[in-house]
Amino acid sequence: MALARRGGIGRYYDVNGWLFVAPALGLIALFMVYPIFWSLWMSFQSGRGMMMKFAGFGNIVRLWNDAVFIKALTNTMTYFVVQVPIMILLALILASLLNNPRLVGRAFFRTAIFLPCVTSLVAYSVLFKGMFAFDGIVNSTLQAIGIIASPIPWQTHPFWAKALVIIAITWRWTGYNMIFYLAALQNIDRSIYEVARIDGVPAWARFTHITIPLLKPVILFTTVISTIGTLQLFDEVYNLTEGKGGPSNATLTLSLYIYNLTFRFMPNFGYAATVSYVIVILVAILAFLQFFLARERDK
């Protein structure tokens, strides 16, 4: 093993180790660190390519006067506030049900619920657009059982289009979170539940006072990654609305707006970089708040 002495103070550094990680560090610097600083520099520019010019804080001022940005920000936060709690709660309920060893067909249900998150995004988007079409199977079924009198305009009405995106995201990623909860539930010592059951603790109290506290680390993890994924939401909206975020920008997200600013309309790389840092700031703030609140509850 090649060792090198540094500073003559008896500390040794493994040269072979540094040589081993150098290619990975180089790739990280090239494809992660460099783009971060480059995009930060671009956020103070305006235009694209050779037409870029220094704009200072002009892009930041423009944000608050940009009605489309405000709409995209509002939509993104709506998805976060509505969709993340639904997905986390639904994943926890499904995991609790599948953790029952007496449930018939556990393996089938576990696979069926997890399958959407590994399904081709294009295939599932086409499926959803067909199912929720004006004359699709969802409207036909709801009318047949008498829940609605006329078809719901899932893809043409702003409210229902946003609801469709929330349903699509929940359907796709609930199974992903469920797997984490299921793994955590199966690692809880069953004797804890047996003692509580012998002491006469009802099922709901066992769930709230034993299961939930023991799942706090997993709940925090899934909440953070779901928050990050929702704030960066792009694929589902792009495929369901053909990249338009319609109708009337009702489903437009910050990530889709960045894409439009970069590759569509009148490209402005500098302004797009500024919008991207809004996502970075939101992720950092919300992740910090979630960690802080989790720590406060543990005190």
Side-chain angles (χ1 to χ4, degrees), residues 88-101 103 106 110 174-175 177-194 197 203 206-219 222:
I88 296 299
L89 182 60
L90 184 58
L92 182 57
I93 293 173
L94 291 173
S96 299
L97 293 174
L98 291 176
N99 192 46
N100 183 1
L103 179 66
R106 275 202 310 167
R110 183 170 59 242
T174 294
N177 290 324
M178 181 201 70
I179 293 298
F180 290 105
Y181 290 129
L182 189 56
L185 286 169
Q186 292 175 348
N187 283 323
I188 296 177
D189 189 352
R190 306 306 300 178
S191 63
I192 301 176
Y193 292 106
E194 291 299 328
R197 190 179 294 109
R206 292 197 300 269
F207 181 77
T208 55
H209 294 285
I210 297 177
T211 304
I212 295 298
L214 291 175
L215 289 180
K216 276 186 178 180
V218 182
I219 293 174
T222 55

Side-chain angles (χ1 to χ4, degrees), residues 117-163:
C117 71
V118 295
T119 303
S120 166
L121 181 61
V122 175
Y124 115 91
S125 298
V126 171
L127 174 65
F128 254 74
K129 290 177 71 174
M131 289 174 56
F132 287 86
F134 195 75
D135 56 350
I137 187 173
V138 173
N139 277 336
S140 299
T141 303
L142 293 177
Q143 283 184 287
I145 60 180
I147 294 181
I148 59 175
S150 59
I152 297 175
W154 293 100
Q155 301 177 36
T156 58
H157 188 280
F159 173 82
W160 292 112
K162 195 172 296 182

Side-chain angles (χ1 to χ4, degrees), residues 33-55:
V33 179
Y34 172 72
I36 289 174
F37 286 101
W38 178 256
S39 63
L40 181 61
W41 177 83
M42 284 184 61
S43 67
F44 293 98
Q45 312 294 315
S46 181
R48 60 170 179 164
M50 299 299 294
M51 301 171 62
M52 295 279 286
K53 61 180 181 179
F54 184 73

